[in-house]
């Protein structure tokens, strides 16, 4: 990474009750990158985030934010951070604006214009003076985002930020995060279950399972993780004829919706085949020549999802 | 500091933006107004009685001023009384001399000397104590004048010197001291000696018999006289004077000397009065009838009620009510200041409930709702968040207390119609001071607020440890509820109710009860219900430094535990 280290996590451990939730976790987040944090439920993602944000005290390990040790220079470290953990919970008896003003007072140096700018940015101009208890989940999420970026943090930590957002809102957030990372050099640390969203948004992804960091992948490594082969789904007029043509071309048909290797046969009018993207034109031509009408063709199967499942269920790791 | 202040402002805005604090103030106002209007009828009665009482005092003055002439028999009476005590002293000195010069039976002589000394001292004690109690009632001015002359002539008397009488008047009845005019009383005594009308001879014959009984410490005599007068004599100021005098003497003997005879006499009197009280049907108008202690005998009031049944005028009855005011239980509420003194603790109880709930919710509620996250992700140490909450509780406690004190003073004055509350005794350390009532009320409220804040800290600590708002609020309040019930079941009196409500008073009682009661006994304050009330009402933190240290240590430990639980434990 070209930028400075904004977040350094070394040897983080946390036990809650009798469960060792986070085991010797170590990773870094750099200036200007969007860092994805992935893991199944109960993997330790939120626990790790809570330790970074000061909700929980690590049993051992070190957390440095902007070069400041969180344990000994808490206020200086947290001055660099903005974050949302789980659902954003504000002071319900205050208006959205009062919440932002209170937060601004604690940071210092945040003008009224900046508050107004952020309110416009998250699309809450019309409701910002209403009490938070009247907000929908999506509005609370927007307010949480507003609060977390109000002070132009160097590190933005978002735990499931797309909760409650409609597709438009998700896209807006994605664009916002990218702009912040690119234009302001903000390091973004985002945890989410939406793998497709993470694939589109993140520069790097870290996978955690059972409290153990399984590995980190860059965006390029993600794309190349599954090789050049892609999976394509064809909707055709004559599935049997299409299957024959594809097999004659030496292509392997993929059972519909399953990776368990068990052949389930083709769904009527729908075929799935794995092939290099470069052969797409050849295959389309062969099918049409063979008298098969192609109704639709779409690329399916997330390489990230496959990799994720393999790592978290198969116990593998990325070397 | 700026961040802590910003957090404090945030907490204040939150707490005043919620309905809880306003509901607490409204509850307090309702409780206080209810108590005020309940007491109001007694205040009205007292006001009427007061105006009639003033007229009564004028009548007494006129009677005294009409006394003239000489009375040789009185002088003889005095000489005989003095002779009785002289005789006792002679016995004592004789025995002492024989002992010092040696004698055949040293042991017997010593016993004789000891007995004579005891009898002499006891006689002086009884006379002196009787003076102290009788003298505060102006209608017995003739008695005090006689006995003062006796004390003046016996410069070597013990244990209460003349100065103590003056001090007692200055301390307990500063305005009456001016009116009593001790020097003037002495002069009047001279006038009395010079000449007393023949028609007053019977009164002085009776006074002579009192003094004999005082000298002999014959409580049985007083008890029998008490019953005889109560049952047989027609209503008159002499009758009332004698009833009060006997009552005081018996209770003085019971409290300060503790003689078995005195206690037995008091017990018999108590049974007698209880039996009579059960026959009365005016309990609603004279609250406290039937509520008795072995220390105070409301005989004259109960007999008054009986007199009313027999057709004595209400005007006369109310005069005696005023004159008997010092024997009245505090719930009688005859003092307009009581409208404020009795209602304010109820208001402070509501403050306690409100502040305990705010404190119990301060940390636990924020964690439960998740709003604490907004603060945790901000660049503020948890310690700042904690201290902001402590400052908020402190401010809320004192603001609510101040507001209710102002409300009590204004509303109480409006309800009673009495705006001049005069001055009250305020005991601070060893130098009792007279303060304006409103200032003394604010000062006592300040002490009460400190106590309430202490328990708010307890609720805050529980909030940080248990993370449960309900438990954190209930435990501190539960203490008071339990104490309140136990006090209500066990006894009566507003001071006990107040002690149940406010922890500082409980604490003060725990630490100071012996010192305070001893002190009060020595100066006779224990018999003065009014002084007792104010002494207990205001704990002595300024004179007893160790109590402040004790509470400070407890409070510091509570704060430390609360801060530790909040700052060093995982939040969520």
């Amino acid at each position: 990474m070209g930028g400075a280290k904004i977040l350094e996590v070394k040897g983080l451990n946390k036990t809650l009750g009798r469960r060792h939730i986070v085991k010797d976790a170590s990773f870094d987040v750099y200036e200007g990158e969007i860092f994805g944090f992935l893991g199944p439920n109960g993997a330790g993602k939120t626990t790790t985030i809570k330790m970074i944000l000061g909700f929980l005290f690590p049993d051992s390990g070190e957390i440095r934010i902007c070069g400041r040790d969180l344990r000994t220079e808490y206020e200086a470290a947290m001055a660099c951070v903005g974050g949302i953990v789980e659902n954003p919970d504000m002071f319900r008896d205050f208006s959205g604006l009062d919440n932002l003003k209170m937060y601004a007072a604690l940071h210092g140096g945040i003008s009224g214009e900046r508050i107004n700018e952020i309110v416009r940015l998250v699309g809450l101009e019309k409701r910002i003076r209403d009490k938070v208890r009247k907000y929908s989940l999506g509005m609370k999420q927007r307010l949480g985002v507003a609060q977390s970026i109000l002070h132009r943090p160097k590190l933005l930590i978002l735990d499931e930020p797309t909760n409650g957002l409609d597709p438009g809102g998700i896209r807006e957030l994605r664009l916002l995060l990218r702009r912040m990372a690119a234009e302001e050099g903000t390091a973004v640390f985002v945890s989410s279950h939406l793998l497709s969203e993470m694939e589109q948004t993140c520069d790097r992804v870290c996978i955690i399972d059972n409290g153990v960091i399984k590995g980190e992948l860059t965006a390029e490594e993600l794309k190349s993780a599954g090789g050049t082969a892609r999976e394509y789904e064809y909707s055709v007029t004559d599935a049997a004829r299409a299957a024959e043509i594809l097999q004659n071309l030496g292509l392997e048909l993929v059972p519909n919706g399953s990776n368990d290797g068990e052949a389930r046969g083709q769904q009527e009018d729908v075929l799935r085949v794995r092939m290099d993207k470069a052969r797409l034109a050849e295959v389309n031509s062969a099918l049409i020549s063979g008298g098969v009408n192609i109704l639709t063709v779409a690329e399916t199967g997330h390489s990230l999802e496959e990799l994720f499942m393999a790592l978290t269920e198969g116990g593998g790791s990325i070397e | 500091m700026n961040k802590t202040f910003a957090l404090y402002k945030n907490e204040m805005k939150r707490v005043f933006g919620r309905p809880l604090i306003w509901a607490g103030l409204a509850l307090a106002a309702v409780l206080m107004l209810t108590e005020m209007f309940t007491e109001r009828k007694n205040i009205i009665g007292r006001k009427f009685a007061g105006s009639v009482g003033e007229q009564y005092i004028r009548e007494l003055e006129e009677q005294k001023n009409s006394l003239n002439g000489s009375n040789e028999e009185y002088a003889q009476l005095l000489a005989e009384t003095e002779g009785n005590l002289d005789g006792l002293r002679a016995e004592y000195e004789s025995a002492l001399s024989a002992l010092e010069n040696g004698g055949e039976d040293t042991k017997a002589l010593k016993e004789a000397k000891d007995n004579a000394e005891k009898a002499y001292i006891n006689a002086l004690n009884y006379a002196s104590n009787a003076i102290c109690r009788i003298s505060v009632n102006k209608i017995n001015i003739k008695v005090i004048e006689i006995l003062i002359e006796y004390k003046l002539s016996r410069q070597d008397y013990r244990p209460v010197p003349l100065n103590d009488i003056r001090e007692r008047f200055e301390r307990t009845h500063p305005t009456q001291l001016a009116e009593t005019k001790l020097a003037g009383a002495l002069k009047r005594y001279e006038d009395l000696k010079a000449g007393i009308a023949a028609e007053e001879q019977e009164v002085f014959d009776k006074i002579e018999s009192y003094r004999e009984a005082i000298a002999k410490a014959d409580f049985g005599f007083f008890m029998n006289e008490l019953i005889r007068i109560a049952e047989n004599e027609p209503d008159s100021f002499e009758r009332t004077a004698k009833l009060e005098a006997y009552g005081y003497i018996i209770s003085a003997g019971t409290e300060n000397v503790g003689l078995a005879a005195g206690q037995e006499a008091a017990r018999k009197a108590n049974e007698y009065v209880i039996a009579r009280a059960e026959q009365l049907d005016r309990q609603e108008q004279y609250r406290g009838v039937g509520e008795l202690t072995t220390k105070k005998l409301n005989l004259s009031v109960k007999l008054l009620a009986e007199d009313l049944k027999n057709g004595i005028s209400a005007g006369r009855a109310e005069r005696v009510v005023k004159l008997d005011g010092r024997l009245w239980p505090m719930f009688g509420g005859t003092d307009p200041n009581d409208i404020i003194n009795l209602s304010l603790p109820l208001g402070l109880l509501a403050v306690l409930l409100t502040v305990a709930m705010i404190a119990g919710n301060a940390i636990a509620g924020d964690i439960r709702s998740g709003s604490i996250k907004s603060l945790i992700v901000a660049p503020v140490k948890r310690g700042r968040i904690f201290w902001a909450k402590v400052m908020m509780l402190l401010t809320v406690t004192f603001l609510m207390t101040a507001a209710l004190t102002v409300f009590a003073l204004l509303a109480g004055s409006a309800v009673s119609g009495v705006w001049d509350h005069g001055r009250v005794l305020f005991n601070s350390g060893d130098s009792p001071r007279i303060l304006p009532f409103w200032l003394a009320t604010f000062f006592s409220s300040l002490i009460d607020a400190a106590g309430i804040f202490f328990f708010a800290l307890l609720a805050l600590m529980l909030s940080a440890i248990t993370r449960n708002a309900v438990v954190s609020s209930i435990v501190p309040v539960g203490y008071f509820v339990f104490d309140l019930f136990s006090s209500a079941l066990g006894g009566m009196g507003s001071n006990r109710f107040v002690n149940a409500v406010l922890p500082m008073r409980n604490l003060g009682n725990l630490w100071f009860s012996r010192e305070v009661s001893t002190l009060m006994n020595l100066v006779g304050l224990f018999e003065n219900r009014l002084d007792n009330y104010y002494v207990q009402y205001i704990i002595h933190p300024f004179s007893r430094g160790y109590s402040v240290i004790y509470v400070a240590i407890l409070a510091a430990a509570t704060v430390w535990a609360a801060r530790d639980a909040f700052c060093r434990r995982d939040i969520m």
Side-chain angles (χ1 to χ4, degrees):
Chain A
M1 296 292 114
K5 272 188 203 175
I6 299 299
L7 174 65
E8 299 170 69
V9 174
K10 287 182 189 167
L12 212 59
N13 282 278
K14 181 66 178 177
T15 300
L16 291 174
R18 291 183 182 179
R19 289 190 56 212
H20 195 169
I21 303 290
V22 176
K23 302 166 188 170
D24 205 33
S26 298
F27 55 87
D28 301 317
V29 181
Y30 295 87
E31 185 178 14
E33 72 166 348
I34 302 178
F35 184 86
F37 202 49
L38 293 178
N41 290 335
K45 302 188 302 298
T46 301
T47 302
T48 303
I49 289 174
K50 284 181 176 177
M51 284 191 280
I52 296 170
L53 288 175
F55 290 90
L56 305 176
F57 294 103
D59 296 335
S60 64
E62 187 184 21
I63 300 172
R64 299 184 79 85
I65 303 174
C66 296
R68 312 284 187 139
D69 189 329
L70 191 65
R71 204 171 349 199
T72 57
E73 301 173 274
Y74 183 83
E75 289 190 349
M78 293 305 290
C80 299
V81 179
I84 306 176
V85 177
E86 294 171 328
N87 293 325
D89 290 306
M90 312 293 172
F91 292 108
R92 291 166 48 84
D93 298 320
F94 284 179
S95 66
L97 185 61
D98 285 338
N99 272 281
L100 292 177
K101 282 181 177 174
M102 179 213 61
Y103 199 68
L106 294 177
H107 272 278
I110 298 175
S111 64
E113 288 76 24
R114 172 64 180 170
I115 295 176
N116 293 334
E117 174 194 344
I118 293 300
V119 169
R120 280 193 299 272
L121 186 66
V122 299
L124 280 176
E125 307 98 300
K126 292 181 182 173
R127 299 294 303 274
I128 196 61
R129 292 182 193 277
D130 291 349
K131 288 208 184 332
V132 169
R133 74 163 74 95
K134 296 181 183 174
Y135 282 13
S136 65
L137 178 59
M139 290 166 66
K140 287 182 189 173
Q141 202 76 13
R142 290 170 186 268
L143 185 64
V145 170
Q147 182 173 293
S148 62
I149 64 175
L150 190 62
H151 55 293
R152 302 184 200 276
K154 289 193 168 58
L155 174 64
L156 182 61
I157 299 178
L158 303 171
D159 186 24
E160 309 284 350
T162 54
N163 270 355
L165 293 179
D166 55 29
I170 294 174
R171 183 170 179 276
E172 283 176 30
L173 180 64
R174 187 192 329 132
L175 293 174
L176 172 65
L177 295 180
R178 282 196 182 151
R179 189 166 70 240
M180 288 180 67
E183 296 176 10
E184 299 182 21
T186 305
V188 180
F189 180 103
V190 59
S191 150
S192 176
H193 289 301
L194 292 177
L195 301 178
S196 59
E197 191 58 32
M198 297 290 271
E199 209 172 9
Q200 293 184 64
T201 309
C202 299
D203 298 315
R204 269 195 311 144
V205 165
C206 174
I207 296 176
I208 182 172
D209 186 30
N210 277 327
V212 177
I213 300 292
K214 294 292 187 178
E216 294 178 15
L217 289 171
T218 63
E220 289 70 29
E221 286 169 338
L222 273 174
K223 289 193 175 74
S224 61
T228 56
R230 294 288 183 271
E231 191 177 294
Y232 293 93
E233 183 178 278
Y234 279 90
S235 177
V236 297
T237 52
D238 186 346
R241 175 64 183 146
E244 184 186 347
I245 293 170
L246 291 173
Q247 282 167 351
N248 289 340
L249 288 172
L251 294 173
E252 180 189 351
L253 289 176
V254 176
N256 282 344
S258 170
N259 282 334
D260 59 7
E262 187 178 313
R264 293 185 178 172
Q266 287 91 5
Q267 270 188 322
E268 187 175 4
D269 296 331
V270 174
L271 293 172
R272 284 193 183 175
V273 61
R274 177 176 289 281
M275 62 181 174
D276 271 337
K277 190 173 182 180
R279 294 193 69 183
L280 190 61
E282 174 196 351
V283 169
N284 291 347
S285 179
L287 287 171
I288 293 170
S289 302
V292 176
N293 287 333
I294 301 173
L295 301 175
T296 62
V297 57
E299 184 176 336
T300 62
H302 299 279
S303 58
L304 178 57
E305 180 179 351
E306 289 169 359
L307 187 62
F308 176 81
M309 297 306 291
L311 287 172
T312 57
E313 291 182 1
S317 64
I318 299 169
E319 294 299 329
Chain B
M1 192 59 183
N2 282 339
K3 289 185 182 179
T4 310
F5 188 68
L7 289 165
Y8 161 72
K9 283 201 305 184
N10 184 55
E11 292 291 332
M12 289 296 290
K13 198 173 173 183
R14 288 176 64 201
V15 79
F16 278 96
R18 286 187 187 149
L20 176 60
I21 194 169
W22 305 109
L25 286 171
L27 174 66
V30 166
L31 290 173
M32 290 166 72
L33 286 172
T34 302
E35 176 66 16
M36 285 176 187
F37 281 102
T38 302
E39 293 299 324
R40 186 167 174 265
K41 64 179 181 342
N42 293 321
I43 302 301
I44 293 174
R46 199 257 178 186
K47 278 176 65 177
F48 179 68
S51 64
V52 174
E54 287 170 5
Q55 181 182 347
Y56 191 26
I57 296 299
R58 279 198 297 276
E59 290 174 6
L60 291 176
E61 293 291 336
E62 286 168 7
Q63 286 187 3
K64 284 185 295 186
N65 292 336
S66 69
L67 296 174
N68 51 39
S70 63
N71 190 324
E72 292 300 325
E73 290 185 27
Y74 169 72
Q76 183 182 358
L77 188 67
L78 182 61
E80 286 176 4
T81 306
E82 288 176 339
N84 284 336
L85 284 171
D86 277 341
L88 281 172
R89 181 171 183 172
E91 278 184 38
Y92 160 66
E93 288 175 350
S94 170
L96 182 63
S97 174
L99 187 67
E100 288 170 350
N101 293 331
E104 293 181 1
D105 190 344
T106 306
K107 184 178 176 184
L109 280 173
K110 189 173 186 310
E111 281 182 2
K113 174 250 178 185
D114 288 344
N115 289 337
E117 183 177 14
K118 279 182 191 172
Y120 177 62
I121 292 173
N122 283 340
L124 292 172
N125 270 338
Y126 303 151
S128 303
N129 288 334
I131 288 171
C132 286
R133 279 147 192 80
I134 296 168
S135 64
V136 296
N137 188 326
K138 282 197 262 189
I139 68 168
N140 290 308
I141 193 71
K142 284 191 290 242
V143 175
I144 186 178
E145 287 162 359
I146 294 166
L147 294 173
I148 285 173
E149 168 59 19
Y150 170 80
K151 290 184 111 37
L152 285 173
S153 67
R154 311 289 303 186
Q155 290 299 317
D156 61 342
Y157 67 82
R158 291 169 292 173
V160 182
L162 188 61
N163 284 339
D164 274 4
I165 296 178
R166 185 188 303 278
E167 280 178 9
R168 181 180 170 81
F169 269 69
E170 283 174 346
R171 190 168 53 244
T172 61
H173 295 82
T175 54
Q176 285 182 8
L177 178 61
E179 295 172 15
T180 304
K181 294 183 177 58
L182 195 60
L186 294 174
K187 184 176 184 313
R188 276 199 292 276
Y189 172 70
E190 292 295 333
D191 295 339
L192 283 172
K193 276 175 68 175
I196 299 174
E199 58 268 25
E200 296 297 328
Q201 181 57 50
E202 184 184 352
V203 174
F204 288 100
D205 287 340
K206 289 289 190 292
I207 292 174
E208 190 274 338
S209 67
Y210 302 164
R211 296 202 290 163
E212 283 181 1
I214 289 171
K216 295 174 186 174
D218 185 352
F219 291 111
F221 164 80
F222 283 108
M223 193 61 241
N224 291 333
E225 276 295 293
L226 198 64
I227 295 171
R228 182 190 66 75
I229 295 166
E231 302 223 13
N232 300 318
E233 287 198 6
D235 178 59
S236 66
F237 79 90
E238 292 91 348
R239 173 178 180 268
T240 306
K242 282 181 283 188
L243 291 175
E244 288 208 7
Y246 289 151
Y248 278 126
I249 290 168
I250 291 172
S251 58
T254 306
E255 288 300 323
N256 293 326
V257 181
L259 290 180
Q263 289 168 343
E264 179 63 16
R267 188 187 66 77
K268 284 182 185 172
N270 199 34
E271 287 174 1
Y272 163 77
V273 173
I274 288 173
R276 293 297 297 273
E278 286 172 357
Q279 299 170 12
L280 301 178
D281 61 354
R282 291 186 66 110
Q283 285 188 334
E284 283 193 3
Q285 287 200 22
Y286 293 92
R287 291 175 60 190
V289 172
E291 291 179 314
L292 299 168
T293 68
T294 56
K295 299 170 190 175
K296 289 296 182 188
L297 306 174
N298 292 331
L299 291 172
S300 60
V301 175
K302 286 165 189 54
L303 294 164
L304 165 70
E306 189 181 6
D307 289 340
L308 287 169
K309 281 174 71 173
N310 296 333
I312 304 299
S313 70
R316 176 72 62 87
E318 277 158 348
R319 282 178 209 154
V320 181
V321 167
K322 179 192 182 280
L323 294 168
D324 197 56
R326 284 166 48 80
L327 294 176
W328 203 253
M330 288 309 295
F331 273 131
T334 55
D335 187 338
N337 290 351
D338 279 348
I339 253 187
I340 296 163
N341 293 333
L342 293 176
S343 64
L344 189 52
L346 290 172
L348 295 180
L349 177 62
V351 171
L352 171 69
L353 291 171
T354 306
V355 171
M357 289 170 70
I358 292 173
N361 205 55
I363 292 175
D366 281 358
I367 293 176
R368 186 190 67 241
S369 69
S371 57
I372 194 75
K373 287 191 276 190
S374 296
L375 299 178
I376 297 293
V377 298
V380 288
K381 293 180 189 171
R382 290 194 196 181
R384 292 186 194 270
I385 301 171
F386 176 80
W387 288 116
K389 292 182 184 291
V390 171
M391 284 161 56
M392 176 272 292
L393 289 173
L394 184 71
T395 308
V396 166
T397 300
F398 281 89
L399 275 181
M400 287 184 77
T401 303
L404 288 177
T405 304
V406 170
F407 177 78
L409 288 167
L410 293 176
S413 300
V415 169
S416 67
V418 175
W419 290 89
D420 178 12
H421 298 284
R423 301 183 302 168
V424 294
L425 175 69
F426 170 62
N427 255 334
S428 173
D430 300 318
S431 306
R433 296 189 190 114
I434 306 291
L435 288 180
F437 175 76
W438 65 269
L439 187 60
T441 303
F442 264 102
F443 193 81
S444 68
S445 290
L446 183 73
I447 303 292
D448 292 339
I452 292 172
F453 177 63
F454 175 77
F455 276 82
L457 291 178
L458 182 63
L460 185 69
M461 180 190 73
L462 292 171
S463 185
I465 292 174
T466 67
R467 310 285 172 94
N468 186 310
V470 173
V471 167
S472 307
S473 303
I474 283 180
V475 168
V477 173
Y479 166 80
F480 293 107
V481 172
F482 172 75
D483 204 11
L484 184 62
F485 272 118
S486 63
S487 295
L489 289 171
M492 59 218 136
S494 64
N495 55 337
R496 298 194 68 165
F497 172 81
V498 161
N499 289 337
V501 168
L502 294 161
M504 287 297 285
R505 301 175 192 199
N506 260 338
L507 207 57
N509 286 340
L510 182 66
W511 282 86
F512 301 133
S513 58
R514 268 179 298 156
E515 288 88 339
V516 169
S517 62
T518 302
L519 180 70
M520 290 193 289
N521 267 330
L522 285 174
V523 298
L525 287 174
F526 190 69
E527 292 299 317
N528 185 329
R529 185 73 81 117
L530 188 64
D531 293 334
N532 185 32
Y533 176 69
Y534 281 105
V535 167
Q536 289 211 341
Y537 199 66
I538 300 168
I539 305 302
H540 298 271
F542 304 105
S543 63
R544 298 289 188 264
Y546 58 81
S547 74
V548 176
I549 294 172
Y550 173 75
V551 174
I553 290 173
L554 270 181
T558 305
V559 170
W560 178 87
R563 187 177 182 279
D564 190 72
F566 178 67
C567 294
R568 294 180 189 273
R569 283 177 54 191
D570 294 339
I571 283 289
M572 353 183 30

